[in-house]
């Protein structure tokens, strides 16, 4: 499958879902107040999820 064929057939709902999830986790990182260690862990995990999803999004966009 060449790149243009992949772009034509690429699942758009999946891509939108990836973008939505990345925004969701970045919002948690940016807006959640840290009041205890548990909050800090949640924020750290959300940052990790967002970073990993960014990698999946890039791979998806390349058609890998």
């Amino acid at each position: 499958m060449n790149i243009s064929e992949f772009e034509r057939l690429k699942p758009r709902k999946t891509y939108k879902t990836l973008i939505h999830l990345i925004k969701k986790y970045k919002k948690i990182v940016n807006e959640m107040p840290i009041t205890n260690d548990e909050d800090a862990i949640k924020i750290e995990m959300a940052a990790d999820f967002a970073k990993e999803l960014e990698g999946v999004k890039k791979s998806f966009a390349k058609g890998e």
Side-chain angles (χ1 to χ4, degrees):
M1 176 183 298
N2 65 35
I3 264 302
S4 60
E5 183 179 354
F6 175 78
E7 286 298 321
R8 188 172 57 81
L9 301 172
K10 182 169 44 179
R12 304 211 188 292
K13 283 185 178 182
T14 304
Y15 192 75
K16 286 180 183 179
T17 301
L18 283 170
I19 292 171
H20 170 74
L21 289 171
I22 291 167
K23 287 180 182 179
K24 173 185 171 181
Y25 290 117
K26 284 184 176 182
K27 183 178 179 180
I28 290 170
V29 171
N30 293 328
E31 296 180 6
M32 185 174 186
I34 300 174
T35 58
N36 57 36
D37 289 342
E38 193 172 304
D39 290 342
I41 291 169
K42 288 178 185 176
I43 292 171
E44 185 178 349
M45 287 178 67
D48 289 344
F49 291 156
K51 183 179 177 182
E52 290 176 12
L53 287 169
E54 284 284 350
V56 171
K57 183 180 126 187
K58 286 178 185 176
S59 179
F60 183 84
K62 289 180 183 177
E64 299 177 326

